[in-house]
Amino acid sequence: MGGSEDNGETSSEGKRICGSKRKAGSRYSNRKAKRDVAAMLTRSNDDGSAEDLALTDEERAEKEQAKLIPLLTGGKLKSYQIKGLKWMISLWQNGLNGILADQMGLGKTIHTIPFLSHLKGNGLNGSYLIIAHLSTLSNWLSEIERFSPSLNAIIYHGDKKARAEIVRKYMPRTIGPNFPIIVTSNEVALSDARRYLRHYSWKYLVVHLCQNLHLPTL
């Protein structure tokens, strides 16, 4: 889209070179993200006071939680969850996507909610979209309400009339501090990608992967 066309060449070699540059850039970004998160974790271990060094891992995690995510008031993260949160923050700061590939029940949701709480707590109002399997929508909403009750979140679902009413009442075109985190199903996201969802500049998209999930183009 933004490439030079001075020589008029569109050979496969030119495409291969561009692809190589993209791959090289991706490798560089991934290496940089790994270095950044490693440095962040090292700083958290090395910069502590004598008092911090006397704390247990869980006590240190509780202190870091209060600093990183003051909006998360409904639970305490474990030390490994704090590390996972820092990894997600580092990816965000480097403009990279990430995949939480833990097995079921090991905390993908409780990594995601603190991360969104961190963004909200730093004044990034959104908009944020969570696309998940229909059967998990109410669980996402209840977990957000449990761990970060100050966050505003809604389920975007129902028939066409109901969804249009949700947009009218809760989803203004202007993003402000009260704009909710939108939780919806893959089917509704596909159906409404052009009608409603494309009007928003989504700051962060969470995809709760399941079998045969097809992503919408927003």
Side-chain angles (χ1 to χ4, degrees):
M1 291 186 295
S4 172
E5 297 179 356
D6 292 345
N7 57 14
E9 293 179 359
T10 58
S11 67
S12 59
E13 180 181 0
K15 293 179 181 179
R16 182 184 61 78
I17 292 173
C18 290
S20 299
K21 288 181 179 178
R22 284 196 296 270
K23 290 179 181 178
S26 176
R27 287 195 296 268
Y28 171 78
S29 296
N30 284 324
R31 289 197 302 269
K32 184 175 184 299
K34 289 179 180 178
R35 289 197 302 268
D36 287 350
V37 74
M40 181 188 296
L41 296 177
T42 300
R43 284 195 301 271
S44 68
N45 291 331
D46 294 345
D47 293 347
S49 63
E51 180 183 353
D52 289 341
L53 295 177
L55 299 176
T56 66
D57 286 346
E58 295 304 319
E59 289 170 335
R60 195 176 296 114
E62 184 177 350
K63 185 174 182 178
E64 286 192 283
Q65 175 178 323
K67 179 181 178 181
L68 284 172
I69 38 174
L71 295 183
L72 192 84
T73 59
K76 296 179 181 179
L77 300 185
K78 297 184 181 298
S79 57
Y80 75 89
Q81 292 172 326
I82 291 288
K83 290 182 179 180
L85 171 63
K86 288 182 176 181
W87 174 75
M88 295 180 73
I89 293 172
S90 178
L91 291 180
W92 164 264
Q93 292 172 342
N94 285 278
L96 298 173
N97 299 319
I99 297 175
L100 292 173
D102 294 335
Q103 294 180 358
M104 289 184 63
L106 292 183
K108 292 183 288 294
T109 302
I110 195 53
H111 273 92
T112 303
I113 294 172
F115 175 70
L116 295 180
S117 301
H118 171 80
L119 296 183
K120 281 276 194 177
N122 281 276
L124 298 172
N125 295 319
S127 51
Y128 304 113
L129 179 64
I130 298 174
I131 299 177
H133 192 274
L134 177 59
S135 64
T136 68
L137 300 188
S138 59
N139 181 66
W140 272 100
L141 195 64
S142 64
E143 293 291 270
I144 292 172
E145 292 173 347
R146 173 188 172 190
F147 289 105
S148 291
S150 64
L151 297 187
N152 184 20
I154 61 170
I155 292 178
Y156 178 68
H157 209 267
D159 57 26
K160 289 184 179 180
K161 184 177 180 180
R163 300 199 303 272
E165 186 68 7
I166 291 172
V167 171
R168 187 185 70 82
K169 284 186 175 181
Y170 304 109
M171 298 170 60
R173 292 290 182 90
T174 302
I175 307 300
N178 294 322
F179 193 91
I181 296 171
I182 307 300
V183 183
T184 191
S185 69
N186 178 58
E187 292 79 13
V188 169
L190 285 169
S191 176
D192 288 2
R194 294 186 177 183
R195 180 178 302 179
Y196 297 124
L197 301 181
R198 71 180 180 87
H199 298 302
Y200 301 97
S201 179
W202 299 99
K203 289 291 186 296
Y204 203 80
L205 170 64
V206 176
V207 179
H208 188 178
L209 288 175
C210 59
Q211 191 175 10
N212 300 324
L213 181 64
H214 300 284
L215 299 181
T217 301
L218 301 178

